[in-house]
mmCIF file of all heavy atoms in Angstrom:
data_model
loop_
_atom_site.group_PDB
_atom_site.id
_atom_site.type_symbol
_atom_site.label_atom_id
_atom_site.label_comp_id
_atom_site.label_asym_id
_atom_site.label_seq_id
_atom_site.Cartn_x
_atom_site.Cartn_y
_atom_site.Cartn_z
ATOM 1 N N ALA G 392 95.209 -179.325 -41.223
ATOM 2 C CA ALA G 392 96.556 -179.886 -41.412
ATOM 3 C C ALA G 392 97.295 -180.065 -40.092
ATOM 4 O O ALA G 392 98.125 -180.958 -39.950
ATOM 5 C CB ALA G 392 97.365 -178.974 -42.340
ATOM 6 N N ALA G 393 96.982 -179.199 -39.114
ATOM 7 C CA ALA G 393 97.713 -179.245 -37.845
ATOM 8 C C ALA G 393 97.190 -180.329 -36.901
ATOM 9 O O ALA G 393 97.846 -180.631 -35.890
ATOM 10 C CB ALA G 393 97.653 -177.885 -37.156
ATOM 11 N N ALA G 394 96.033 -180.908 -37.218
ATOM 12 C CA ALA G 394 95.490 -181.962 -36.348
ATOM 13 C C ALA G 394 96.467 -183.137 -36.315
ATOM 14 O O ALA G 394 96.901 -183.623 -37.367
ATOM 15 C CB ALA G 394 94.122 -182.410 -36.854
ATOM 16 N N GLY G 395 96.809 -183.575 -35.132
ATOM 17 C CA GLY G 395 97.725 -184.709 -34.986
ATOM 18 C C GLY G 395 99.190 -184.319 -34.970
ATOM 19 O O GLY G 395 100.060 -185.172 -34.753
ATOM 20 N N MET G 396 99.475 -183.058 -35.181
ATOM 21 C CA MET G 396 100.880 -182.614 -35.165
ATOM 22 C C MET G 396 101.415 -182.629 -33.731
ATOM 23 O O MET G 396 100.673 -182.336 -32.789
ATOM 24 C CB MET G 396 100.954 -181.188 -35.743
ATOM 25 C CG MET G 396 102.357 -180.601 -35.768
ATOM 26 S SD MET G 396 102.337 -178.892 -36.368
ATOM 27 C CE MET G 396 102.019 -179.140 -38.108
ATOM 28 N N ASP G 397 102.688 -182.976 -33.556
ATOM 29 C CA ASP G 397 103.225 -182.949 -32.191
ATOM 30 C C ASP G 397 103.708 -181.536 -31.851
ATOM 31 O O ASP G 397 103.918 -180.696 -32.730
ATOM 32 C CB ASP G 397 104.330 -184.001 -32.005
ATOM 33 C CG ASP G 397 105.514 -183.785 -32.945
ATOM 34 O OD1 ASP G 397 105.836 -182.621 -33.230
ATOM 35 O OD2 ASP G 397 106.114 -184.783 -33.387
ATOM 36 N N ARG G 398 103.868 -181.304 -30.561
ATOM 37 C CA ARG G 398 104.203 -179.955 -30.102
ATOM 38 C C ARG G 398 105.588 -179.484 -30.560
ATOM 39 O O ARG G 398 105.718 -178.311 -30.940
ATOM 40 C CB ARG G 398 104.074 -179.877 -28.577
ATOM 41 C CG ARG G 398 102.625 -179.775 -28.119
ATOM 42 C CD ARG G 398 102.475 -180.049 -26.637
ATOM 43 N NE ARG G 398 102.708 -181.469 -26.365
ATOM 44 C CZ ARG G 398 102.633 -182.016 -25.152
ATOM 45 N NH1 ARG G 398 102.351 -181.264 -24.110
ATOM 46 N NH2 ARG G 398 102.838 -183.304 -24.980
ATOM 47 N N PRO G 399 106.603 -180.336 -30.568
ATOM 48 C CA PRO G 399 107.907 -179.838 -31.056
ATOM 49 C C PRO G 399 107.842 -179.349 -32.509
ATOM 50 O O PRO G 399 108.466 -178.342 -32.859
ATOM 51 C CB PRO G 399 108.822 -181.058 -30.905
ATOM 52 C CG PRO G 399 108.227 -181.840 -29.782
ATOM 53 C CD PRO G 399 106.745 -181.674 -29.944
ATOM 54 N N THR G 400 107.079 -180.075 -33.358
ATOM 55 C CA THR G 400 106.954 -179.624 -34.750
ATOM 56 C C THR G 400 106.214 -178.287 -34.800
ATOM 57 O O THR G 400 106.620 -177.352 -35.514
ATOM 58 C CB THR G 400 106.188 -180.680 -35.587
ATOM 59 O OG1 THR G 400 106.861 -181.922 -35.475
ATOM 60 C CG2 THR G 400 106.100 -180.262 -37.043
ATOM 61 N N ALA G 401 105.128 -178.207 -34.021
ATOM 62 C CA ALA G 401 104.368 -176.942 -33.976
ATOM 63 C C ALA G 401 105.265 -175.816 -33.491
ATOM 64 O O ALA G 401 105.255 -174.707 -34.045
ATOM 65 C CB ALA G 401 103.164 -177.100 -33.051
ATOM 66 N N ASP G 402 106.059 -176.102 -32.488
ATOM 67 C CA ASP G 402 106.952 -175.096 -31.910
ATOM 68 C C ASP G 402 107.937 -174.577 -32.964
ATOM 69 O O ASP G 402 108.165 -173.375 -33.085
ATOM 70 C CB ASP G 402 107.704 -175.727 -30.733
ATOM 71 C CG ASP G 402 108.581 -174.724 -30.011
ATOM 72 O OD1 ASP G 402 108.044 -173.723 -29.506
ATOM 73 O OD2 ASP G 402 109.809 -174.952 -29.969
ATOM 74 N N ARG G 403 108.477 -175.503 -33.750
ATOM 75 C CA ARG G 403 109.448 -175.106 -34.762
ATOM 76 C C ARG G 403 108.796 -174.225 -35.827
ATOM 77 O O ARG G 403 109.346 -173.192 -36.227
ATOM 78 C CB ARG G 403 110.075 -176.363 -35.404
ATOM 79 C CG ARG G 403 111.218 -176.070 -36.353
ATOM 80 C CD ARG G 403 111.887 -177.336 -36.855
ATOM 81 N NE ARG G 403 110.967 -178.380 -37.261
ATOM 82 C CZ ARG G 403 110.230 -178.345 -38.368
ATOM 83 N NH1 ARG G 403 110.314 -177.298 -39.173
ATOM 84 N NH2 ARG G 403 109.410 -179.341 -38.671
ATOM 85 N N ILE G 404 107.603 -174.619 -36.277
ATOM 86 C CA ILE G 404 106.925 -173.831 -37.316
ATOM 87 C C ILE G 404 106.509 -172.463 -36.767
ATOM 88 O O ILE G 404 106.662 -171.429 -37.432
ATOM 89 C CB ILE G 404 105.688 -174.585 -37.868
ATOM 90 C CG1 ILE G 404 106.113 -175.917 -38.497
ATOM 91 C CG2 ILE G 404 104.953 -173.727 -38.892
ATOM 92 C CD1 ILE G 404 104.952 -176.804 -38.930
ATOM 93 N N VAL G 405 106.011 -172.459 -35.536
ATOM 94 C CA VAL G 405 105.566 -171.190 -34.949
ATOM 95 C C VAL G 405 106.745 -170.238 -34.763
ATOM 96 O O VAL G 405 106.626 -169.029 -35.010
ATOM 97 C CB VAL G 405 104.820 -171.455 -33.617
ATOM 98 C CG1 VAL G 405 104.634 -170.160 -32.823
ATOM 99 C CG2 VAL G 405 103.464 -172.097 -33.901
ATOM 100 N N ARG G 406 107.887 -170.764 -34.347
ATOM 101 C CA ARG G 406 109.072 -169.906 -34.217
ATOM 102 C C ARG G 406 109.465 -169.322 -35.578
ATOM 103 O O ARG G 406 109.845 -168.148 -35.682
ATOM 104 C CB ARG G 406 110.254 -170.698 -33.658
ATOM 105 C CG ARG G 406 110.152 -170.964 -32.175
ATOM 106 C CD ARG G 406 111.214 -171.967 -31.762
ATOM 107 N NE ARG G 406 111.058 -172.390 -30.395
ATOM 108 C CZ ARG G 406 111.633 -171.783 -29.353
ATOM 109 N NH1 ARG G 406 112.403 -170.739 -29.552
ATOM 110 N NH2 ARG G 406 111.440 -172.226 -28.136
ATOM 111 N N TYR G 407 109.360 -170.146 -36.610
ATOM 112 C CA TYR G 407 109.655 -169.678 -37.969
ATOM 113 C C TYR G 407 108.705 -168.525 -38.338
ATOM 114 O O TYR G 407 109.132 -167.495 -38.871
ATOM 115 C CB TYR G 407 109.495 -170.849 -38.952
ATOM 116 C CG TYR G 407 109.587 -170.467 -40.404
ATOM 117 C CD1 TYR G 407 110.816 -170.349 -41.046
ATOM 118 C CD2 TYR G 407 108.429 -170.221 -41.150
ATOM 119 C CE1 TYR G 407 110.896 -169.983 -42.384
ATOM 120 C CE2 TYR G 407 108.500 -169.860 -42.487
ATOM 121 C CZ TYR G 407 109.736 -169.747 -43.104
ATOM 122 O OH TYR G 407 109.802 -169.384 -44.428
ATOM 123 N N LEU G 408 107.421 -168.714 -38.012
ATOM 124 C CA LEU G 408 106.426 -167.691 -38.348
ATOM 125 C C LEU G 408 106.629 -166.427 -37.523
ATOM 126 O O LEU G 408 106.527 -165.306 -38.043
ATOM 127 C CB LEU G 408 105.012 -168.247 -38.143
ATOM 128 C CG LEU G 408 104.609 -169.339 -39.139
ATOM 129 C CD1 LEU G 408 103.375 -170.102 -38.658
ATOM 130 C CD2 LEU G 408 104.352 -168.726 -40.516
ATOM 131 N N LEU G 409 106.921 -166.595 -36.235
ATOM 132 C CA LEU G 409 107.177 -165.417 -35.388
ATOM 133 C C LEU G 409 108.322 -164.582 -35.952
ATOM 134 O O LEU G 409 108.260 -163.348 -35.957
ATOM 135 C CB LEU G 409 107.507 -165.860 -33.960
ATOM 136 C CG LEU G 409 106.312 -166.167 -33.043
ATOM 137 C CD1 LEU G 409 106.776 -166.895 -31.786
ATOM 138 C CD2 LEU G 409 105.560 -164.895 -32.664
ATOM 139 N N ASP G 410 109.344 -165.257 -36.431
ATOM 140 C CA ASP G 410 110.469 -164.533 -37.042
ATOM 141 C C ASP G 410 110.010 -163.698 -38.231
ATOM 142 O O ASP G 410 110.561 -162.645 -38.530
ATOM 143 C CB ASP G 410 111.542 -165.519 -37.524
ATOM 144 C CG ASP G 410 112.397 -166.032 -36.375
ATOM 145 O OD1 ASP G 410 112.320 -165.440 -35.278
ATOM 146 O OD2 ASP G 410 113.121 -167.027 -36.564
ATOM 147 N N LYS G 411 108.983 -164.191 -38.913
ATOM 148 C CA LYS G 411 108.483 -163.490 -40.106
ATOM 149 C C LYS G 411 107.660 -162.245 -39.744
ATOM 150 O O LYS G 411 107.738 -161.228 -40.431
ATOM 151 C CB LYS G 411 107.596 -164.435 -40.931
ATOM 152 C CG LYS G 411 108.334 -165.595 -41.564
ATOM 153 C CD LYS G 411 108.968 -165.133 -42.853
ATOM 154 C CE LYS G 411 109.670 -166.268 -43.576
ATOM 155 N NZ LYS G 411 110.399 -165.779 -44.746
ATOM 156 N N TYR G 412 106.782 -162.365 -38.705
ATOM 157 C CA TYR G 412 105.835 -161.272 -38.492
ATOM 158 C C TYR G 412 106.005 -160.470 -37.203
ATOM 159 O O TYR G 412 105.488 -159.365 -37.080
ATOM 160 C CB TYR G 412 104.390 -161.785 -38.580
ATOM 161 C CG TYR G 412 103.926 -162.665 -37.431
ATOM 162 C CD1 TYR G 412 103.613 -162.129 -36.178
ATOM 163 C CD2 TYR G 412 103.764 -164.028 -37.602
ATOM 164 C CE1 TYR G 412 103.174 -162.938 -35.142
ATOM 165 C CE2 TYR G 412 103.326 -164.839 -36.569
ATOM 166 C CZ TYR G 412 103.027 -164.290 -35.340
ATOM 167 O OH TYR G 412 102.583 -165.091 -34.320
ATOM 168 N N GLU G 413 106.718 -161.046 -36.241
ATOM 169 C CA GLU G 413 106.699 -160.446 -34.904
ATOM 170 C C GLU G 413 107.139 -158.983 -34.888
ATOM 171 O O GLU G 413 106.522 -158.142 -34.219
ATOM 172 C CB GLU G 413 107.597 -161.274 -33.981
ATOM 173 C CG GLU G 413 107.391 -160.973 -32.516
ATOM 174 C CD GLU G 413 108.170 -161.958 -31.651
ATOM 175 O OE1 GLU G 413 109.148 -162.556 -32.153
ATOM 176 O OE2 GLU G 413 107.796 -162.119 -30.481
ATOM 177 N N VAL G 414 108.181 -158.661 -35.639
ATOM 178 C CA VAL G 414 108.687 -157.283 -35.599
ATOM 179 C C VAL G 414 107.792 -156.314 -36.373
ATOM 180 O O VAL G 414 107.971 -155.107 -36.293
ATOM 181 C CB VAL G 414 110.133 -157.186 -36.156
ATOM 182 C CG1 VAL G 414 111.083 -157.973 -35.287
ATOM 183 C CG2 VAL G 414 110.194 -157.672 -37.598
ATOM 184 N N HIS G 415 106.823 -156.877 -37.110
ATOM 185 C CA HIS G 415 105.966 -156.003 -37.914
ATOM 186 C C HIS G 415 104.547 -155.879 -37.345
ATOM 187 O O HIS G 415 103.651 -155.403 -38.032
ATOM 188 C CB HIS G 415 105.883 -156.528 -39.355
ATOM 189 C CG HIS G 415 107.204 -156.535 -40.049
ATOM 190 N ND1 HIS G 415 107.904 -155.370 -40.297
ATOM 191 C CD2 HIS G 415 107.964 -157.547 -40.524
ATOM 192 C CE1 HIS G 415 109.038 -155.680 -40.910
ATOM 193 N NE2 HIS G 415 109.100 -156.985 -41.049
ATOM 194 N N LEU G 416 104.334 -156.298 -36.106
ATOM 195 C CA LEU G 416 102.979 -156.222 -35.556
ATOM 196 C C LEU G 416 102.515 -154.774 -35.377
ATOM 197 O O LEU G 416 101.339 -154.468 -35.551
ATOM 198 C CB LEU G 416 102.904 -156.969 -34.218
ATOM 199 C CG LEU G 416 102.902 -158.501 -34.335
ATOM 200 C CD1 LEU G 416 103.002 -159.150 -32.967
ATOM 201 C CD2 LEU G 416 101.643 -158.989 -35.057
ATOM 202 N N SER G 417 103.451 -153.900 -35.036
ATOM 203 C CA SER G 417 103.030 -152.515 -34.801
ATOM 204 C C SER G 417 102.949 -151.701 -36.092
ATOM 205 O O SER G 417 102.348 -150.623 -36.108
ATOM 206 C CB SER G 417 103.977 -151.839 -33.810
ATOM 207 O OG SER G 417 105.289 -151.913 -34.305
ATOM 208 N N ASP G 418 103.553 -152.194 -37.177
ATOM 209 C CA ASP G 418 103.444 -151.482 -38.455
ATOM 210 C C ASP G 418 102.954 -152.460 -39.536
ATOM 211 O O ASP G 418 103.465 -152.486 -40.655
ATOM 212 C CB ASP G 418 104.770 -150.838 -38.848
ATOM 213 C CG ASP G 418 105.876 -151.875 -39.078
ATOM 214 O OD1 ASP G 418 105.682 -153.036 -38.655
ATOM 215 O OD2 ASP G 418 106.905 -151.533 -39.681
#
Side-chain angles (χ1 to χ4, degrees):
Chain G
M396 179 183 287
D397 60 35
R398 283 166 289 181
T400 304
D402 184 60
R403 187 175 45 72
I404 299 174
V405 167
R406 284 169 187 270
Y407 172 84
L408 291 165
L409 277 167
D410 282 347
K411 293 277 183 186
Y412 71 75
E413 195 172 22
V414 296
H415 297 297
L416 285 173
S417 57
D418 63 345

